[in-house]
Amino acid sequence: MTNLLKGVNLYLIGMMGVGKTTVGKLLAQEIGYRFVDTDEIIVKAAGKSINEIFTEHSEDDFRQLESDVLAQVCAYTKLIVATGGGIVMEQQNWGYLHHGLVVWLDVPIQIILERLAEDNTRPLLQNADPQGKLRSLLEQRQHKYSQADLHITITATETPAEIATRILATIPSILKKQ
Ligand SMILES: Nc1ncnc2c1ncn2[C@@H]1O[C@H](COP(=O)(O)OP(=O)(O)O)[C@@H](O)[C@H]1O
Ligand SMILES: O=C(O)C1=C[C@@H](OP(=O)(O)O)[C@@H](O)[C@H](O)C1
Ligand SMILES: [Mg+2]
């Protein structure tokens, strides 16, 4: 697979909680790529959590950092890149994402809500109506996510390892198309 991809990066996109970080680590192990997570790089560079960046600065500042990090990451090859769910909204980010193969992990909102019920690290969901917020974000983002090279629809019972295996099995068919 490493050979087949010829060092091309894989970018994982999709809503928060779909498993970009979790599945990304497995994909990297499987094909001998390095794993990077744009959120993790931002947190290290800023010396602040994502919650702190949103509250002490602003979402706009976070989005600027996110675009800067993506631009830097794109200079490297053989990477699995887990992105933050909102990265797709800035059109110029697509210039970077399309340097590699873009994979959309798509999970029903009800499952995301269950997964993130006890999680307080996603500032956009720290409000009285996380379900409504997820619905409106998905509505704004869906047409952007659908620009991905590969759309992976995930069921409630599929494990991260099964999802990683399915992605790797599907990649040869999209490489042929390109
Ligand atoms: N296929 C899966 N099945 C069950 N739980 C999952 C699965 N993928 C991810 N999770 C869990 O969902 C939560 C969010 O996963 P994460 O990888 O952080 O998503 P993202 O990076 O897309 O926001 C974590 O607690 C993770 O363990
Ligand atoms: O969807 C979003 O706008 C966000 C998703 C988060 O990353 P994950 O998608 O990894 O949860 C993180 O970048 C930030 O909280 C904003
Ligand atoms: Mg993540």
Side-chain angles (χ1 to χ4, degrees), residues 21 37 39 83 122:
T21 300
D37 189 316
D39 284 340
T83 63
R122 270 85 172 174

Side-chain angles (χ1 to χ4, degrees), residues 14-23 37 83 115-116 122 154 156 158-160 163:
M15 292 289 282
M16 33 195 149
V18 296
K20 300 178 295 294
T21 300
T22 309
V23 174
D37 189 316
T83 63
R115 286 186 190 169
L116 298 183
R122 270 85 172 174
I154 293 166
E158 224 174 344
T159 66
I163 296 160

Side-chain angles (χ1 to χ4, degrees), residues 50-113:
I50 292 177
N51 277 329
E52 285 167 341
I53 299 171
F54 270 66
T55 54
E56 294 173 20
H57 300 270
S58 63
E59 179 170 354
D60 280 355
D61 283 357
F62 174 80
R63 296 300 170 200
Q64 186 57 57
L65 291 170
E66 189 172 54
S67 294
D68 293 346
V69 164
L70 181 64
Q72 286 167 21
V73 154
C74 281
Y76 298 87
T77 58
K78 289 193 181 177
L79 295 182
I80 302 291
V81 184
T83 63
I87 208 161
V88 295
M89 296 310 287
E90 183 62 56
Q91 196 51 41
Q92 76 178 32
N93 288 344
W94 281 93
Y96 296 112
L97 295 171
H98 282 314
H99 284 187
L101 283 181
V102 184
V103 179
W104 172 22
L105 302 187
D106 190 7
V107 174
I109 280 180
Q110 207 47 48
I111 298 172
I112 296 178
L113 278 170

